[in-house]
């Protein structure tokens, strides 16, 4: 595939639309089964530039989309250090319009307007230092994630219903 070398957090919506991270940014698209000579082709475009890329040796601020979960009208994303400790944040943003070939081929001004709208909708829900267990229910009405802040000996678990505010769950985790 052109411009996509790997997938992070690949997930499908209930209508078959694909969401994934690559090089830290969030993409959406479809698998086009109509392409001749192929079994299927990923046809997608970047919908939200979430990567905070840098060139510093330690890359402590280099973060990007790692996990993606699709809700009814919003996306939940674990944005974390790329190839690092996993430190990051759980964010929520508006679900972009369904993939449309005309939008994908549109002029720069339209694409930048889409990026601005998506990035402006980002809401930080929690800190996360390791695994997020990020997922949504099949109907898209519930999201679940964990928050584990580095240096703090307590993992928290959250449930979000109907894209409301995260509610902490009381979960006892056995000591290993």
């Amino acid at each position: 595939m052109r411009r996509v070398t790997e997938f992070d957090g690949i997930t499908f919506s209930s209508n078959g639309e694909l969401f994934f991270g690559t090089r830290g940014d969030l993409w959406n698209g479809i698998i086009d089964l109509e392409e001749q000579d192929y079994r299927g082709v990923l046809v997608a475009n970047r919908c939200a530039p979430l990567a905070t890329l840098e060139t510093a040796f330690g890359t402590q601020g280099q973060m990007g989309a790692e996990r993606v979960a699709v809700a009814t009208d919003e996306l939940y994303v674990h944005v974390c250090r790329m190839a690092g400790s996993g430190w990051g944040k759980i964010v929520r943003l508006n679900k972009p319009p369904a993939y449309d070939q005309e939008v994908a081929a549109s002029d720069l001004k339209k694409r930048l307007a889409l990026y601005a709208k998506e990035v402006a909708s980002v809401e930080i829900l929690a800190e996360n230092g390791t695994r997020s267990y990020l997922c949504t229910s099949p109907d898209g009405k519930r999201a679940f994630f964990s928050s584990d802040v580095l240096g703090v000996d307590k993992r928290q678990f959250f449930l979000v219903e109907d894209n409301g505010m995260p509610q902490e769950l009381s979960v006892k985790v056995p000591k290993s």
Side-chain angles (χ1 to χ4, degrees):
M1 285 168 284
R2 297 178 71 198
R3 298 180 191 89
V4 175
T5 56
E6 60 187 57
F7 299 102
D8 292 315
I10 189 169
T11 188
F12 287 90
S13 68
S14 60
N15 68 353
E17 192 171 14
L18 181 65
F19 293 89
F20 61 93
T22 190
R23 295 188 303 202
D25 289 333
L26 189 60
W27 291 60
N28 74 319
I30 58 172
I31 303 295
D32 185 353
L33 300 175
E34 301 298 319
E35 286 285 331
Q36 294 179 355
D37 302 325
Y38 296 100
R39 292 184 187 170
V41 174
L42 171 64
V43 181
N45 63 278
R46 183 172 73 163
C47 60
L50 297 179
T52 57
L53 304 175
E54 61 179 61
T55 61
F57 180 69
T59 66
Q60 65 274 16
Q62 184 165 312
M63 298 177 71
E66 177 72 21
R67 300 278 180 265
V68 183
V70 183
T72 307
D73 298 319
E74 295 181 312
L75 300 174
Y76 291 81
V77 183
H78 183 187
V79 178
C80 61
R81 284 188 62 196
M82 297 166 60
S85 66
W87 173 84
K89 301 182 184 314
I90 305 296
V91 303
R92 172 171 56 190
L93 66 152
N94 291 337
K95 189 171 158 186
Y99 177 81
D100 182 335
Q101 187 68 35
E102 288 184 34
V103 172
S106 65
D107 66 22
L108 181 61
K109 188 171 184 173
K110 289 180 183 176
R111 291 293 291 279
L112 292 175
L114 171 66
Y115 299 161
K117 182 178 177 185
E118 290 302 309
V119 171
S121 74
V122 172
E123 177 183 7
I124 297 172
L125 300 178
E127 296 282 333
N128 192 293
T130 59
R131 293 180 294 266
S132 61
Y133 303 107
L134 180 63
C135 61
T136 53
S137 61
D139 64 3
K141 293 184 179 189
R142 288 175 211 79
F144 173 84
F145 62 87
S146 70
S147 175
D148 186 10
V149 179
L150 293 174
V152 177
D153 192 26
K154 181 184 179 197
R155 173 170 281 164
Q156 296 172 290
F157 298 91
F158 293 93
L159 180 66
V160 180
E161 295 189 273
D162 295 319
N163 293 322
M165 292 308 298
Q167 301 298 314
E168 186 174 359
L169 300 173
S170 178
V171 176
K172 294 190 182 218
V173 179
K175 301 275 184 194
S176 52

